[in-house]
Amino acid sequence: MDRGMDMATALRDLSVTDDVLTQAEKDQLDRDGYLPLKGVLSAEEVSEINKRLAELTAAEGDRAGLEVHQEKGADRLADLVNKDPMFEVCFSHPRVLAAMHHVLGEFKLSSLNSRAALPGEGHQALHADFGHPVEPGAYEVCNSIWLLDDFTPENGATRVVPGSHRRGTMPSDEMADPADAHPDQIQLTGRAGTVVIFNSHLWHGGTQNNTDQPRRAMHSYFALRHLPQQLDQQAYLRVETYKRLTPAQRFMLDVTGTD
C-alpha cells in the first residue's frame, strides 16, 4: 500500500466510476442481496483459469487449500493472489469493485480462493459469512462467485434466500435445520464467465452436485478495511507479487512493501 493512496484514488486508478453499475443494478443488489454480472470473463479466460487451477491442485496435493480451509467433497485452493497474475482480475475488475464499494464503502480483499464441488458432494447448510446478524445497511463483508462452469440446478449451483441480508437474523434463528430447503430459496444459475456479487450477510449455501463433473468457481471475498482478513495478505505476500502489483492493487490487498 503506497503512501498517499486512498480508496477514492485506488478506485479511480482501477477505472471504477459512478456509472460502472447502473442504478437498476445497484437497486437489485440492495433489494435482493445479489447481482449477476454476465460476461466478465471470456470463454478463453475461463479455460485458462481452469487449466491453471487444475495444475495448482495437482501440485499442492493434500495441502491444497490449507492456508484457509479444506472441505470434504470439494477441491479447494487458497492464496490465489500469489499463485498467478491471471487471478489479479478478481480484485481489480471495475464492475466487481464498484459493487463492493456500493455495499461496503471502504473495503479490502479478505481472501481469494477457489472451490470445486465434486460429483455427489457440495451441499451446505444455509449460512451467512459473518458471525452475527447486522442491521440493514451496516454490512461488514461482501463476496463474489466467479463461475468457471455453467451453474445449473443439476451441478450444485449456490442457493440463496433473496433479501435475507436485511432480516437481521441468522438461518439457525428461523430454521429447525439450515441444511433443509428454504421456501424462498433460489439457485444462482448462469453461464461460465459470469460473476455473481452477493452480500455475504445473505443466507446462502452450495447444493449437491448431481453430475459426473466438478462444479468450479473462484471466490474473491471482501471486508471492511478495519476487519482482519480471512487470509492475512501481508503475511503471505511474496516479493515478486508485490513488485508486479500497481499501487491501487496493493491498496486493495492492504499490503505494504519491504523495498
Side-chain angles (χ1 to χ4, degrees), residues 18-259:
D18 289 341
D19 58 355
V20 166
L21 294 180
T22 67
Q23 189 59 50
E25 289 173 327
K26 295 174 185 177
D27 291 345
Q28 179 180 346
L29 188 51
D30 291 340
R31 180 187 66 247
D32 298 334
Y34 67 92
L35 174 66
L37 302 175
K38 297 179 181 178
V40 172
L41 297 175
S42 68
E44 182 180 5
E45 288 171 320
V46 169
S47 177
E48 288 301 309
I49 287 172
N50 279 328
K51 179 181 176 182
R52 184 68 180 122
L53 292 176
E55 292 170 350
L56 290 168
T57 299
E60 295 184 24
D62 60 7
R63 296 187 60 80
L66 200 60
E67 301 97 329
V68 171
H69 177 61
Q70 293 180 316
E71 176 189 356
K72 182 182 180 296
D75 286 338
R76 283 186 175 265
L77 290 165
D79 189 29
L80 294 180
V81 168
N82 282 302
K83 294 178 180 177
D84 201 291
M86 71 170 60
F87 301 125
E88 290 173 17
V89 65
C90 298
F91 56 91
S92 305
H93 195 281
R95 282 176 52 79
V96 172
L97 296 182
M100 297 302 160
H101 183 53
H102 180 71
V103 174
L104 298 175
E106 300 267 335
F107 66 95
K108 62 184 176 184
L109 184 77
S110 187
S111 61
L112 176 53
N113 309 317
S114 68
R115 178 180 185 266
L118 300 177
E121 304 283 355
H123 184 76
Q124 297 174 321
L126 285 170
H127 61 281
D129 292 336
F130 203 67
H132 57 80
V134 300
E135 291 297 315
Y139 303 124
E140 308 264 350
V141 285
C142 192
N143 212 334
S144 60
I145 312 175
W146 296 68
L147 279 57
L148 300 177
D149 290 298
D150 293 349
F151 271 35
T152 69
E154 294 75 33
N155 71 0
T158 304
R159 61 182 175 138
V160 300
V161 179
S164 55
H165 61 302
R166 295 184 280 109
R167 293 168 89 112
T169 60
M170 303 293 270
S172 58
D173 297 330
E174 299 190 28
M175 300 176 68
D177 185 355
D180 291 343
H182 189 281
D184 298 328
Q185 76 181 37
I186 64 165
Q187 283 186 289
L188 299 178
T189 58
R191 298 293 301 272
T194 299
V195 176
V196 180
I197 308 297
F198 73 95
N199 185 314
S200 295
H201 302 276
L202 187 74
W203 299 3
H204 64 279
T207 61
Q208 183 167 308
N209 180 358
N210 293 315
T211 71
D212 59 1
Q213 297 294 320
R215 196 269 294 142
R216 299 167 291 186
M218 294 186 295
H219 300 89
S220 52
Y221 176 54
F222 296 82
L224 295 181
R225 291 192 71 82
H226 72 271
L227 292 176
Q229 293 161 315
Q230 186 178 49
L231 182 80
D232 185 338
Q233 301 297 328
Q234 183 69 46
Y236 279 84
L237 185 70
R238 300 176 188 175
V239 173
E240 61 269 26
T241 303
Y242 179 83
K243 288 182 175 178
R244 76 167 186 255
L245 296 176
T246 68
Q249 289 174 320
R250 295 169 189 165
F251 184 85
M252 288 299 163
L253 300 181
D254 196 24
V255 296
T256 56
T258 56
D259 53 356

